[in-house]
Amino acid sequence: MFRKILVAMDSSHIGEQVFEEALNLAQAMGGSLMLLHVLSSEEEGSPRIAEFSSLDLYPEIYPEVREEITLNYRKQWDEFEGKCLAVLRDRTAKANTLGINAEFTQIPGNPGKTICEKALNWGADLIVVGRRGRSGLSELFLGSVSNYVLHHAPCSVLTVQAIVHKIETASEKESVVS
């Protein structure tokens, strides 16, 4: 039975799906939730710092530009962090309103490793994590948090597949029209 459910969420659309799945499990099993967001520059939607190779090669030439870029990035990062905390607070409140014991935490770090460490330290019985369905080269280059968690978790793992919208092929369009 899953009593302590770690819910690993990001700020993408799949984060909501992961939360809803975990919420349903907690209701059905009388479990409690730990909502976790790992702050990472790898996350979709996180701020990206402009990369200017000439600035890196000649830092003494453009100090004002470098400072402006750094300040702008810091502002964007603070806004991103605040937005993610607000989502965690809202989802925790929703769970608590439904009578489910829930808390949240936001930790900077490597997503896969941080999720597994939090699960171990919190004593989770289950980790619920999203999966985008990357495979092949995109998984090799972009990595896969869910794959890492599946192989390194100290407990059971439930992966929630992102909703994939079917794309009609040309032959399907012809058969519909015919």
Side-chain angles (χ1 to χ4, degrees):
M1 184 155 312
F2 304 119
R3 301 300 236 169
K4 294 181 82 174
I5 303 169
L6 179 69
V7 188
M9 301 180 301
D10 63 14
S11 60
S12 71
H13 69 282
I14 195 171
E16 179 67 27
Q17 292 173 259
V18 169
F19 171 69
E20 291 297 329
E21 193 68 37
L23 194 61
N24 290 335
L25 278 169
Q27 281 182 308
M29 305 218 168
S32 61
L33 300 176
M34 168 62 74
L35 308 182
L36 170 65
H37 177 252
V38 180
L39 282 170
S40 169
S41 59
E42 300 167 22
E43 182 175 344
E44 287 181 27
S46 68
R48 303 281 188 246
I49 194 158
E51 295 182 31
F52 295 103
S53 57
S54 61
L55 292 178
D56 292 335
L57 293 174
Y58 307 104
E60 65 281 351
I61 296 176
Y62 303 105
E64 328 59 55
V65 174
R66 177 183 299 283
E67 185 177 327
E68 186 176 332
I69 290 170
T70 303
L71 289 172
N72 187 34
Y73 174 73
R74 184 73 240 169
K75 180 182 174 193
Q76 290 175 11
W77 188 260
D78 289 344
E79 288 171 4
F80 176 71
E81 187 175 348
K83 181 185 99 175
C84 294
L85 272 174
V87 168
L88 286 170
R89 283 187 189 103
D90 289 346
R91 291 180 182 163
T92 301
K94 179 178 180 180
N96 289 332
T97 300
L98 294 172
I100 298 167
N101 181 26
E103 55 189 309
F104 70 88
T105 187
Q106 183 164 262
I107 304 170
N110 173 287
K113 189 174 181 182
T114 303
I115 291 166
C116 291
E117 287 173 357
K118 185 63 180 177
L120 180 64
N121 294 335
W122 187 61
D125 302 313
L126 176 69
I127 299 170
V128 182
V129 65
R131 179 178 182 279
R132 286 184 177 73
R134 290 188 182 126
S135 62
L137 291 176
S138 67
E139 182 178 7
L140 178 66
F141 291 119
L142 299 173
S144 171
V145 173
S146 60
N147 188 44
Y148 181 92
V149 172
L150 280 168
H151 288 90
H152 296 91
C155 59
S156 296
V157 177
L158 171 65
T159 57
V160 176
Q161 176 65 46
I163 295 173
V164 179
H165 300 284
K166 185 177 177 185
I167 300 170
E168 280 187 77
T169 63
S171 60
E172 288 175 326
K173 286 181 183 179
E174 289 173 11
S175 62
V176 171
V177 174
S178 301

